[in-house]
């Protein structure tokens, strides 16, 4: 029956010149009823049958003929209806229905199964378009964790969206059929056909790839969502695959390998981004600022990778929702707990051990997450420090301990309301003590015997510092297009230091105490922040994404207090900086929107008002970024950012010790400001290989630093000097990612300078981290499903520093005091350390046993034992020269980390 009427049905669908008569409609209805069962079966077959097809610069007619031959299904069409377009596309195991939809997209053509063939016909005029909104959450199918930054793409219209920090998305589309594609790195992509008749809420769950080597989803430019914020996501899997110091993976150390990021020797003294200082980075845990994000002066960070869900790094083109710092944003989101099953993970390495537990409290409604980490450094540091001190004529030891705790609990009251409570607690303890006796003899003609002396020196330094961070967050869905987030935050940094110094000079024959001094001191400082923040995401249409927000923050500062006792003088003085409080009110608004199909714009403004005492500082900070995509493989970028920072980070050491101070802007101290302009070019040579080029220029003013020779303890406002800074440079990042291999090459050519009123006689000088050249290479390759090899190498210009090469004697006028010997450093930072370079390598072995997953990592840090200098120390010793005691001075290179093997073991259950 179907074959008998095939030509008549085909002619009916190909008819385009006039309206069908009512009789023809009755005939068609009858034929459809008769053939209904056969057409339904053919439609199912077209969905099931999958094939691969490759076309290069082919016409639509050729494409349909090739598809017909490949699928062995007749396809009927009129050549006059086909538009003149060229097609280059590749399909891998896709259904025939999917391929037809893709080929006919945008051609105003439709297709229909008629009998045992496919008929292509001119689509009827579209009725008045009705639009509906699809919104919902995208989560991991195994754990229920939200997926951040996942891409949602509607194939027929080309409209797209991306999930926000909580996995929420909203997409408004024309009514009718829709084919949504969901993709996320490391997950199997998912396609969901829908028929839109009304606003729809959906919950999508994606499954992780069975093996990382089998599926790695990386959307091409033509498949990315329309909004591309200036955020650089760092994959946690990339950070854990990189060679780690002593087997301790670290997301902050992974950022060291991004272009534009500088650091001190072996990570000491934190991150310096595009000419900024360490205190110019806004570091967030679940949206709460962290005021000290380092362990061991920067060798490790406070971020336990077992607790980290995602990390985003922003160094330019800042969206308006971020504010308060000048150089960068490091936005870390921690895991929220498995809603479905109980899971655990235990890790042990040479330097630390970790235990992580998570699971449901009420399945699919409430979950918990807890992860603790403790250091094992004292197992090695205690005996090594004793041996080192003994070889230098001392008795004593050095101890160091750090601990971290991450905890989170969440509860879903409904599909629209969810509550989160999170906590981070970190603590560092450093104890360095020693006793150094020294004996020497002097012959004097006035005495019959040689005089023998003993000089004893003892010391003890105790440092304790730590962060306490908490947040209470309420997510509320206000509708299909609006998402609200209300957060109460708390952050505190406490620093406590105690030191003791004692020395004595004893004549042994006869026994006589010639002199003794004992100094004991205690130092404390800190900052405490309490805040309330409201954020609103509104997606009125696929072409706009609005974000609004406001926040109120109160901060209490304890810039530093010292109480000390000089018992040789009998005094007990104290020095203290005045505590102070300040409040900050912020508001922001930004819109990401499209102009046509090739231009994306992010425009916004960040407003801030700082109140301290009777003084108020106001700041208007416009932000603008534009992306232009003239071709699918080319993206041009430009951005301007104005940033303000009301907090000043004052450092008085070269290695990032916790005596560094956070101090507020006051009536006498203006907030720091920066204006940065940048342009960029992204090239996608293939789905695996991309190249990013950037050029930037940044001007900074109202920077703050301690004046030369100033005391950081006695009224810091009177001991600081304002200044300016300038930084500019070129950056390149070549990135390759395939199913088995991830690799990148990062290069920076940069310059950074400073100028302060009371430093270097007011002359311009190079910033310490003015590294002209910086080259970084990183690669990871999965040689076997159970074996991952990785290596990285870095080469950079030495940082700038000063040396006291001469000294002069200064007599204070009108004072009966001995002359003062003053070292002469010359022009500030006129010297350069040697080039820094280092090679790291590692191998990861994974295997399963019953319900356990095992991972063993072995590696080496600083493989060829490069002695990269940390600083030069001026060492002074008493020497007997011709029976006279003189001070012998010499510069000694201090270096930190030699070649270090690493070994770690991880088990998941």
């Amino acid at each position: 029956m179907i074959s008998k009427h095939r030509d008549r049905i085909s002619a009916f669908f190909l008819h385009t010149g006039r309206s069908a008569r009512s009789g023809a409609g009755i005939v068609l209805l009858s034929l459809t009823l008769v053939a209904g069962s056969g057409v339904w079966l053919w439609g199912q077959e077209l969905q099931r049958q999958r094939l691969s097809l490759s076309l290069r610069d082919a016409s639509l007619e050729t494409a349909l003929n090739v598809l017909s031959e490949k699928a062995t299904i007749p396809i009927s069409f009129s050549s006059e209806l086909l538009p003149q377009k060229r097609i280059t596309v590749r399909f891998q195991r896709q259904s025939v229905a999917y391929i037809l939809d893709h080929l006919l997209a945008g051609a105003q053509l439709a297709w229909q199964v008629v009998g045992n063939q496919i008929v292509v016909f001119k689509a009827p005029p579209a009725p008045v378009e009705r639009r509906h909104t699809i919104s919902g959450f995208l989560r991991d199918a195994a754990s229920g964790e939200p997926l951040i930054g996942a891409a949602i793409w509607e194939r027929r219209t080309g409209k797209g969206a991306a999930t926000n920090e909580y996995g929420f998305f909203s997409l408004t589309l024309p009514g009718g059929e829709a084919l949504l594609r969901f993709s996320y790195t490391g997950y199997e992509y998912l396609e969901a056909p829908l028929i839109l008749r009304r606003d729809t809420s959906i919950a999508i769950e994606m499954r992780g790839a069975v093996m990382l080597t089998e599926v790695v989803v990386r959307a091409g430019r033509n498949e990315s969502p329309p909004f591309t914020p200036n955020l650089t996501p760092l994959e946690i899997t990339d950070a854990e695959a990189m060679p780690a110091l002593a087997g301790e993976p670290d997301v902050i150390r992974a950022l060291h390998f991004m272009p534009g990021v500088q650091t001190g020797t072996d990570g000491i003294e934190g991150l310096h981004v595009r000419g900024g200082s360490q205190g110019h980075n806004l570091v967030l845990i679940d949206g709460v600022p962290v005021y000290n994000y380092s362990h061991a002066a920067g060798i490790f960070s406070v971020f336990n990778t077992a607790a980290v869900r995602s990390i985003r790094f922003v160094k330019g083109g800042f969206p308006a929702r971020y504010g308060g710092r000048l150089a960068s944003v490091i936005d870390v989101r921690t895991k929220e707990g498995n809603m479905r099953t109980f899971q655990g993970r235990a890790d042990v390495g040479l330097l630390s051990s970790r235990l992580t537990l998570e699971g449901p409290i009420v399945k699919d409604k409430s979950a918990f997450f807890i992860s603790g980490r403790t250091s094992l450094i004292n197992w090695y540091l205690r005996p090594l420090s004793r041996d080192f001190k003994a070889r230098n004529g001392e008795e004593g030891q050095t101890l160091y301990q750090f601990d971290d705790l991450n905890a989170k609990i969440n509860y879903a009251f409904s599909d629209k309301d969810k509550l989160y409570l999170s906590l981070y607690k970190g603590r560092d303890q450093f104890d360095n003590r020693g006793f150094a006796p020294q004996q020497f003899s002097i012959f004097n003609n006035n005495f019959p015997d040689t005089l023998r002396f003993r000089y004893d020196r003892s010391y003890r330094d105790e440092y304790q510092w730590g962060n306490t961070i908490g947040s209470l967050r309420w997510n509320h869905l206000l509708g299909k297009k609006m998402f609200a987030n209300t957060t109460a935050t708390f952050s505190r940094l406490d620093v406590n230091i105690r030191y003791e110094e004692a020395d004595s000079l004893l004549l042994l024959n006869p026994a006589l105490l010639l002199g003794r001094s004992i100094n004991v001191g205690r130092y404390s400082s800190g900052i405490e922040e309490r805040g309330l923040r409201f954020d609103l995401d509104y997606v009125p249409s696929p072409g706009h994404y609005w974000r609004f927000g406001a926040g109120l923050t109160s901060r209490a500062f304890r810039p530093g207090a010292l109480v000390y006792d000089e018992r040789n003088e009998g005094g007990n003085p104290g020095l203290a900086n005045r505590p102070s409080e300040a409040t900050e009110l912020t508001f922001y608004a930004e819109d990401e929107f499209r102009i046509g199909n090739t231009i994306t714009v992010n425009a916004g403004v960040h407003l801030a008002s700082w109140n301290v005492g009777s003084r108020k500082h106001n700041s208007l900070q416009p932000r603008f970024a534009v992306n232009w995509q003239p071709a699918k493989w080319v993206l041009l970028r430009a951005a301007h950012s104005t940033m303000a920072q009301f907090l000043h980070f004052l450092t008085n050491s070269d290695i990032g010790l916790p005596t560094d101070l956070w101090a507020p802007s006051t009536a006498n101290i203006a907030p720091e400001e920066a204006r940065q302009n940048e342009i960029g070019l992204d090239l996608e040579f293939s789905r695996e290989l991309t190249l990013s080029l950037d050029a930037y220029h940044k001007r900074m003013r109202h920077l703050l630093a301690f004046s030369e020779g100033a005391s950081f303890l006695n009224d810091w406002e009177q001991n600081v000097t304002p200044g300016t800074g300038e930084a500019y440079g070129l950056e390149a990042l070549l990135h390759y990612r395939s199913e088995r291999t991830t690799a990148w090459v990062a290069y920076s050519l940069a310059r950074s300078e400073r100028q302060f009123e009371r430093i270097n006689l007011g002359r311009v000088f190079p910033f310490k981290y003015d590294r002209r050249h910086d080259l970084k290479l990183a690669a990871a390759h999965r040689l076997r499903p159970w074996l991952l090899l990785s290596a990285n190498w870095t080469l950079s210009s030495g940082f700038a520093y000063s040396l006291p090469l001469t000294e002069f004697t200064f007599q204070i006028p009108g004072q009966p005091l001995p002359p003062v010997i003053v070292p002469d450093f010359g022009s500030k930072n006129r010297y350069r350390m040697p080039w820094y370079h280092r090679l790291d390598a590692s191998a990861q072995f994974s295997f399963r046993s019953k319900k356990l997953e095992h991972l063993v990592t072995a590696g080496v840090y600083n493989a060829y034992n490069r002695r990269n200098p940390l600083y030069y120390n001026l060492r002074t010793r008493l020497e007997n020269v011709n029976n006279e005691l003189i001070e012998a001075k010499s510069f000694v290179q201090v270096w930190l980390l030699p070649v270090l093997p690493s070994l770690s073991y991880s088990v998941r259950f």
Side-chain angles (χ1 to χ4, degrees):
M1 179 68 72
I2 294 176
S3 60
K4 178 178 179 181
H5 299 284
R6 180 185 305 160
D7 294 339
R8 184 178 302 174
I9 295 172
S10 301
F12 175 86
F13 278 106
L14 292 171
H15 180 70
T16 58
R18 58 185 180 276
S19 301
R21 298 177 180 179
S22 60
I26 296 173
V27 172
L28 177 62
L29 177 61
S30 302
L31 293 173
T32 303
L33 292 173
V34 173
S37 60
V39 170
W40 182 84
L41 292 174
W42 266 91
Q44 293 297 306
E45 179 63 25
L46 293 180
Q47 293 291 341
R48 286 196 301 267
Q49 183 181 2
R50 294 185 176 273
L51 52 88
S52 298
L53 181 64
S54 181
L55 300 168
R56 185 177 181 84
D57 197 33
S59 65
L60 180 56
E61 181 176 358
T62 300
L64 292 174
N65 289 329
V66 172
L67 176 60
S68 175
E69 182 179 351
K70 276 266 192 181
T72 64
I73 300 174
I75 301 178
S76 299
F77 57 87
S78 172
S79 300
E80 297 177 356
L81 297 179
L82 304 184
Q84 300 298 316
K85 70 173 185 175
R86 314 302 294 182
I87 300 173
T88 299
V89 69
R90 184 179 181 182
F91 301 99
Q92 290 288 342
R93 293 189 54 77
Q94 298 289 352
S95 68
V96 175
Y98 174 87
I99 296 175
L100 270 172
D101 286 340
H102 190 93
L103 294 177
L104 300 181
Q108 295 184 338
L109 296 174
W111 61 273
Q112 177 73 40
V113 176
V114 180
N116 60 354
Q117 69 173 326
I118 297 173
V119 177
V120 178
F121 59 95
K122 185 175 182 179
V128 177
E129 184 179 75
R130 300 192 56 159
R131 303 175 70 83
H132 305 287
T133 299
I134 306 171
S135 62
F137 293 87
L138 196 59
R139 295 187 174 92
D140 181 283
S143 67
E145 288 266 5
L147 301 179
I148 301 174
I152 300 96
W153 191 260
E154 205 290 307
R155 284 291 190 177
R156 292 183 173 88
T157 62
K159 305 296 184 182
T163 57
N164 67 4
E165 291 82 356
Y166 311 103
F168 173 77
F169 70 92
S170 177
L171 183 61
T172 301
L173 298 170
E177 294 184 359
L179 182 62
L180 294 181
R181 179 185 176 104
F182 301 87
S183 63
Y184 191 67
T185 302
Y187 283 70
E188 298 175 354
Y189 75 84
L190 179 67
E191 288 191 345
L194 295 172
I195 298 179
L196 292 179
R197 295 189 177 94
R198 63 185 67 86
D199 290 348
T200 303
S201 295
I202 58 177
I204 299 295
E205 296 182 345
M206 298 183 66
R207 297 188 180 277
V210 176
M211 292 175 56
L212 190 60
T213 57
E214 292 180 356
V215 180
V216 175
V217 178
R218 178 68 67 176
R221 290 241 181 260
N222 57 330
E223 295 183 358
S224 60
F227 305 113
T228 309
N230 290 291
L231 304 174
T232 302
L234 175 68
E235 303 295 340
I236 300 303
T237 52
D238 288 346
E240 292 190 327
M242 295 180 67
L245 174 60
E248 181 68 21
D250 195 293
V251 294
I252 296 296
R253 293 191 71 88
L255 290 179
H256 294 178
F257 284 83
M258 295 292 104
V261 177
Q262 303 289 351
T263 186
T265 302
D266 297 321
I268 288 292
E269 210 175 347
L271 298 178
H272 302 266
V273 181
R274 288 186 171 179
S277 300
Q278 180 183 358
H280 289 160
N281 304 308
L282 177 62
V283 183
L284 303 169
I285 293 182
D286 292 329
V288 186
V290 184
Y291 286 100
N292 187 326
Y293 58 89
S294 298
H295 290 308
I299 297 179
F300 308 106
S301 77
V302 299
F303 301 113
N304 175 2
T305 54
V308 174
R309 176 164 51 107
S310 69
I311 178 171
R312 290 179 172 180
F313 177 55
V314 189
K315 60 180 178 180
F318 295 90
R321 57 189 178 274
Y322 293 116
R325 301 294 189 274
L326 301 187
S328 76
V329 177
I330 303 172
D331 190 353
V332 176
R333 301 283 169 165
T334 60
K335 295 179 180 178
E336 297 181 347
N338 194 316
M339 286 277 199
R340 310 287 167 74
T341 60
F342 179 82
Q343 288 183 334
R345 171 178 174 177
D347 304 79
V348 61
L350 296 181
L351 295 185
S352 73
S353 61
R354 296 176 286 179
L355 178 63
T356 303
L357 300 173
E358 59 179 313
I361 300 175
V362 179
K363 190 173 182 179
D364 291 327
K365 199 172 187 68
S366 178
F368 76 93
F369 177 90
I370 186 168
S371 182
R373 177 174 62 162
T374 185
S375 66
L376 308 176
I377 299 175
N378 283 336
W379 290 6
Y380 320 99
L381 186 58
R382 189 193 308 267
L384 290 175
S385 62
R386 287 176 176 175
D387 180 68
F388 177 80
K389 290 177 183 292
R391 285 188 280 111
N392 287 274
E394 292 185 9
E395 301 172 7
Q397 63 183 10
T398 301
L399 303 175
Y400 175 72
Q401 176 76 25
F402 71 82
D403 304 282
D404 293 304
L405 176 67
N406 293 87
K408 184 177 288 188
I409 187 172
N410 64 78
Y411 185 85
F413 293 94
S414 66
D415 293 338
K416 294 185 176 181
D417 294 278
K418 199 167 186 178
L419 196 67
Y420 301 85
L421 177 64
S422 61
L423 170 71
Y424 168 80
K425 179 72 174 179
R427 178 180 61 99
D428 291 69
Q429 291 181 306
F430 175 79
D431 188 338
N432 181 39
R433 65 185 70 181
F435 172 72
Q438 181 183 356
Q439 293 191 19
F440 52 89
S441 301
I442 296 179
F443 178 77
N444 192 307
N445 293 327
N446 296 325
F447 295 91
D449 299 323
T450 300
L451 298 179
R452 292 183 295 111
F453 296 87
R454 175 172 167 172
Y455 175 67
D456 293 337
R457 182 175 60 90
S458 64
Y459 59 90
R460 181 173 183 179
D461 301 317
E462 293 179 288
Y463 291 72
Q464 293 184 3
W465 69 96
N467 295 284
T468 302
I469 297 168
S471 67
L472 179 64
R473 187 173 78 234
W474 172 38
N475 290 163
H476 178 60
L477 196 59
L478 294 172
K480 308 299 182 183
K481 302 181 179 183
M482 194 173 296
F483 180 89
N485 187 60
T486 305
T487 310
T489 64
F490 175 83
S491 181
R492 184 177 68 207
L493 170 65
D494 292 307
V495 177
N496 291 284
I497 298 173
R498 184 176 185 273
Y499 73 89
E500 298 177 7
E501 288 183 343
D503 59 73
S504 62
L505 183 61
L506 179 67
L507 176 64
L508 298 178
N509 57 330
L512 179 64
L513 180 64
L514 300 180
R516 181 175 67 177
S517 67
I518 301 176
N519 299 327
V520 179
R522 296 189 308 274
Y523 168 84
S524 63
S525 71
I527 180 174
E528 183 173 298
E529 173 185 306
R530 301 171 188 266
L532 184 64
R533 181 183 175 102
F534 176 76
D535 300 279
L536 184 68
D537 289 14
Y538 176 52
V539 190
S541 68
H544 288 270
Y545 194 128
W546 281 95
R547 291 182 176 91
F548 307 91
L552 178 64
T553 305
S554 172
R555 296 182 179 92
F557 297 85
R558 290 180 288 116
L562 173 69
V563 178
Y564 66 96
D565 183 6
E566 293 183 302
R567 296 178 186 173
N568 58 321
E569 297 180 1
N572 187 19
L575 294 172
N577 287 298
R578 297 185 305 274
S580 59
E581 294 186 358
T583 58
E584 182 180 7
L585 179 64
T586 59
F587 173 80
Y588 73 86
E590 67 175 89
D591 182 23
E592 293 184 58
F593 59 93
R594 295 185 71 95
I595 302 176
N597 293 322
T598 61
I599 298 177
T600 305
V601 177
N602 182 303
V605 63
H606 186 98
L607 304 173
S609 179
W610 178 268
N611 296 272
V612 55
S614 59
R615 179 63 190 273
K616 177 183 290 188
H617 295 283
N618 297 319
S619 175
L620 173 66
Q621 305 163 42
R623 317 282 176 80
F624 181 81
V626 58
N627 296 346
W628 176 42
Q629 190 175 359
K632 290 182 177 180
W633 55 277
V634 179
L635 183 70
L636 299 171
R637 297 176 280 107
H640 167 81
S641 301
T642 298
M643 309 292 287
Q645 179 168 333
F646 300 100
L647 301 170
H648 305 278
F649 187 70
L650 301 172
T651 178
N652 65 315
S653 71
D654 291 330
I655 56 174
L657 292 176
T659 52
D660 300 334
L661 304 178
W662 286 101
S665 296
T666 65
N668 303 316
I669 304 296
E672 301 180 21
E673 296 178 357
R675 287 179 171 82
Q676 178 172 289
N677 297 296
E678 61 182 296
I679 56 175
L681 170 65
D682 294 342
L683 301 174
E684 188 177 77
F685 302 110
S686 66
R687 291 179 66 88
E688 294 81 20
L689 185 63
T690 59
L691 174 66
S692 295
L693 303 173
D694 289 272
Y696 69 90
H697 181 264
K698 180 192 296 184
R699 289 189 181 275
M700 297 166 281
R701 64 174 188 164
H702 304 316
L703 302 181
L704 208 64
F706 284 118
S707 304
E708 288 181 322
S711 168
F712 71 98
L713 291 168
N714 190 12
D715 195 357
W716 66 270
E717 282 194 70
Q718 302 301 318
N719 286 277
V720 294
T721 177
T724 60
E726 183 177 16
Y728 49 91
L730 302 173
E731 299 169 357
L733 177 64
L734 182 65
H735 193 279
Y736 176 83
R737 184 188 293 271
S738 66
E739 292 183 355
R740 293 182 177 271
T741 305
T742 298
W744 68 85
V745 179
Y747 173 74
S748 302
L749 174 65
R751 187 181 187 92
S752 180
E753 296 176 330
R754 295 285 194 271
Q755 185 175 21
F756 292 90
E757 293 179 5
R758 297 201 294 269
I759 297 179
N760 199 42
L761 301 178
R763 299 190 297 260
V764 176
F765 61 91
F767 181 48
K768 178 179 179 179
Y769 294 98
D770 173 38
R771 296 184 185 266
R772 191 75 66 248
H773 302 279
D774 189 30
L775 176 66
K776 302 155 183 174
L777 291 79
H781 176 68
R782 190 167 290 278
L783 190 63
R784 294 288 186 272
W786 50 269
L787 177 59
L788 176 68
L789 304 177
S790 62
N792 50 248
W793 184 71
T794 180
L795 171 69
S796 59
S797 306
F799 59 79
Y801 72 104
S802 303
L803 275 180
L805 297 183
T806 61
E807 60 185 23
F808 59 91
T809 302
F810 178 72
Q811 179 69 53
I812 302 177
Q815 297 292 331
L817 298 174
V820 178
I821 299 177
V822 181
D824 182 10
F825 287 85
S827 180
K828 187 173 180 61
N829 291 344
R830 62 186 296 187
Y831 302 103
R832 293 279 175 169
M833 285 288 185
W835 282 71
Y836 179 95
H837 53 91
R838 190 189 77 241
L839 173 66
D840 311 324
S842 71
Q844 291 184 0
F845 306 88
S846 58
F847 58 95
R848 294 173 178 264
S849 63
K850 295 183 179 180
K851 296 183 179 181
L852 300 180
E853 297 181 15
H854 306 268
L855 181 67
V856 177
T857 304
V860 59
Y861 180 89
N862 194 8
Y864 50 82
N865 199 28
R866 165 70 175 178
R867 296 193 174 190
N868 293 297
L870 178 63
Y871 58 85
Y872 286 97
N873 191 24
L874 182 60
R875 178 173 295 177
T876 302
R877 291 182 61 87
L878 293 176
E879 293 185 358
N880 183 358
V881 178
N882 297 325
N883 289 322
E884 291 186 12
L885 286 179
I886 66 170
E887 289 185 342
K889 298 180 180 181
S890 60
F891 289 105
V892 179
Q893 175 180 304
V894 178
W895 53 284
L896 189 62
L897 298 176
V899 55
L900 289 175
S902 65
L903 182 65
S904 64
Y905 169 71
S906 175
V907 59
R908 303 187 185 194
F909 51 89

